[in-house]
Amino acid sequence: MRSVHVAGIGKTAFGSFPDRTLKDLAVEAITTCLKDAGRSASDVEAFYLGNFDGPSFTSQNHLAPYVAGAVGITGVPATRFEAACASGGSAFFHACQSVASGIYNTVLVCGVEKMTSQTTARVADILAGAGDAQFESSVGATFPAIFAMIARRHMHQYGTTREHLAAVAVKNHFNASLNPQAHLKKVITIEQALAGKPVAEPFTIYDCSLVSDGAAAILISSIPHQVRIAACAQASGPVALADKPDITTFPATKAAAAKAYAQAGLSPTDIHLAEVHDCFTIAELIAMEDLGFITAGQSGPWVASGATAISGLLPVNTSGGLKAKGHPVGATGVAQLCDLVIQMRGEAGPRQVARASNALAQNLGGSGATSVVTILQKS
Amino acid sequence: MRQAIVYTETVIHSAPERFAAEAPYQIAVIEFPSGTRELVRIAGLRAMIGDRVQELAASAGYPIFEVIQ
């Protein structure tokens, strides 16, 4: 397999943009990315789009050629990937495979979601489609409810507390306040997080990521650049919560992480910073355990101790994470990688970390049915 | 009637469109003696992890259980 490199990145701000369309957001991210790479649309040999549910959110289908055509990419394969919240990561994984295997030299990956044109209740309905329609959404389960039940079990098994969950939210809100492209730039306290409006117990709104509009793009190439994709692995697991033997861990993340660490020849202690899938506060805690950064059950006290703050031992979600940077579902997996590259180039401004040679991204779909783990390394 | 133990649970305050009128309501993953699990609706008293629950005659299109006191 050939080595694969990051040739360019581009991202829109994340937020609620009533006047902007899915196409418009994707075009901005792609245009920025191609400019960053010093390349043009005619250099793109294949286009991979990550999008969860544009058809439900915007009534537009056939999205990959729809977006590609808008930036002048024609005559090449343009394909959409759907893996719930890991749609962006999955598009990226398949793009990496195609360059590593020698099929293409230059591939453009874009992730996009336009969510805020729907009501909260309708968004909850659409997102519930990432679960099991027959056995979960039919009973009235929402996506926050699925993760709330995961949190309850983690609390029951390991003594994790609501304060530990809130510590994730407080950290990510603070980090987002330093990120000009973040959806929310509001610093919060533990007390505010705990007193938020209840969503699905034990979660308040501060345990949940945001409903956002946004897009991100990344151009990958077989030609060496400053940042190399040292590893990218995807794995799957059961869709329905009731089918998992232990709901306090995501075996798909563990499997993808094991493959990625082996590919990169690195171990968890070699990682300098990470962007992980904090769709809910508990998901960031479990990611710490599944990625091997801390022993199972110990993530709560560890994160609450400040170990994953910007100035901590292992900075996690310096962008503000899905929690506060925002979570335009299909864009997330691609945006995480852009945020890591920004850190690796030393361009993160007030949220810049000291060491950023080895960086890891983890993008989770559904309640763990898809997980993508990517390791970036400075060449 | 089927009986099971509550494995995990939550009370939903922010419901999807079609269940919005019922909120707040409780759902749970329950474990049967065989070890299989199922996601169900809980009616009546609040159920906690470890509680024993029993199925109610359901007509709602999904399984409904209640706590055995």
Side-chain angles (χ1 to χ4, degrees):
Chain A
M1 298 288 254
R2 301 189 299 176
S3 67
V4 187
H5 304 262
V6 177
I9 55 166
K11 247 175 40 166
T12 67
F14 286 1
S16 175
F17 307 123
D19 300 331
R20 303 199 62 182
T21 64
L22 179 150
K23 185 198 277 179
D24 170 36
L25 291 162
V27 166
E28 182 193 323
I30 292 169
T31 306
T32 310
C33 173
L34 289 174
K35 191 178 168 202
D36 181 57
R39 306 293 284 271
S40 67
S42 59
D43 295 322
V44 175
E45 295 167 41
F47 178 66
Y48 288 52
L49 181 74
N51 174 264
F52 166 51
D53 204 354
S56 296
F57 284 120
T58 69
S59 302
Q60 175 66 51
N61 221 317
H62 213 171
L63 285 166
Y66 176 76
V67 167
V71 288
I73 298 171
T74 57
V76 300
T79 311
R80 172 180 160 216
F81 289 78
E82 188 276 307
C85 308
S87 297
S90 184
F92 183 79
F93 166 75
H94 288 91
C96 285
Q97 297 285 100
S98 72
V99 175
S101 62
I103 299 173
Y104 306 118
N105 296 317
T106 309
V107 173
L108 180 65
V109 186
C110 177
V112 64
E113 210 78 50
K114 169 72 193 177
M115 304 173 75
T116 65
S117 43
Q118 303 290 338
T119 63
T120 305
R122 177 69 186 135
V123 169
D125 251 351
I126 295 171
L127 292 177
D132 187 312
Q134 186 183 356
F135 295 111
E136 291 184 335
S137 36
S138 62
V139 181
T142 58
F143 225 62
I146 296 291
F147 277 85
M149 290 193 287
I150 291 171
R152 273 271 198 258
R153 191 67 204 180
H154 202 276
M155 294 162 98
H156 176 81
Q157 277 181 216
Y158 296 116
T160 304
T161 65
R162 285 192 65 208
E163 285 76 11
H164 294 150
L165 298 174
V168 173
V170 169
K171 169 180 73 70
N172 291 351
H173 270 265
F174 174 77
N175 293 353
S177 74
L178 306 176
N179 179 358
Q181 287 193 308
H183 188 160
L184 275 188
K185 297 176 194 74
K186 176 182 156 190
V187 175
I188 59 162
T189 63
I190 295 274
E191 293 69 30
Q192 276 173 299
L194 294 174
K197 188 178 155 223
V199 173
E201 297 174 26
F203 289 166
T204 73
I205 48 165
Y206 291 109
D207 289 286
C208 307
S209 55
L210 305 170
V211 171
S212 314
D213 305 327
I218 187 161
L219 188 75
I220 61 169
S221 167
S222 55
I223 299 167
H225 284 78
Q226 188 184 2
V227 173
R228 185 174 72 92
I229 298 146
C232 183
Q234 177 175 333
S236 62
V239 169
L241 197 64
D243 294 340
K244 295 180 212 293
D246 179 359
I247 65 170
T248 63
T249 177
F250 298 119
T253 299
K254 282 186 166 171
K259 277 186 200 169
Y261 287 132
Q263 269 176 36
L266 295 172
S267 71
T269 51
D270 296 319
I271 301 300
H272 298 152
L273 80 157
E275 288 285 321
V276 305
H277 199 92
D278 59 325
C279 50
F280 299 95
T281 47
I282 187 65
E284 180 166 323
L285 294 185
I286 290 175
M288 296 300 97
E289 301 173 3
D290 288 342
L291 294 168
F293 296 140
I294 190 80
T295 315
Q298 294 305 305
S299 59
W302 191 60
V303 169
S305 77
T308 57
I310 288 175
S311 57
L313 184 71
L314 174 72
V316 173
N317 287 335
T318 64
S319 66
L322 287 56
K323 175 70 208 78
K325 172 182 68 180
H327 183 26
V329 174
T332 285
V334 182
Q336 291 177 318
L337 298 166
C338 294
D339 286 316
L340 291 178
V341 172
I342 290 168
Q343 285 280 6
M344 298 174 89
R345 288 176 175 177
E347 295 170 354
R351 62 186 195 286
Q352 181 65 46
V353 300
R355 294 187 311 156
S357 298
N358 300 330
L360 180 148
Q362 176 250 356
N363 185 204
L364 190 76
S367 54
T370 296
S371 196
V372 182
V373 174
T374 305
I375 299 174
L376 303 179
Q377 204 164 26
K378 269 195 201 167
S379 297
Chain B
M1 280 301 181
R2 295 190 298 163
Q3 291 194 1
I5 302 287
V6 175
Y7 173 72
T8 189
E9 53 75 33
T10 183
V11 174
I12 297 175
H13 294 263
S14 182
E17 215 163 33
R18 59 190 157 136
F19 297 109
E22 299 169 41
Y25 54 86
Q26 187 173 27
I27 62 170
V29 173
I30 60 172
E31 187 168 304
F32 294 98
S34 64
T36 61
R37 295 188 193 139
E38 197 172 322
L39 182 67
V40 304
R41 192 72 82 88
I42 302 291
L45 287 178
R46 172 75 189 261
M48 307 300 277
I49 292 176
D51 281 354
R52 183 169 289 280
V53 290
Q54 176 173 280
E55 190 162 26
L56 293 172
S59 59
Y62 47 75
I64 306 177
F65 282 68
E66 68 174 354
V67 175
I68 302 170
Q69 292 190 65

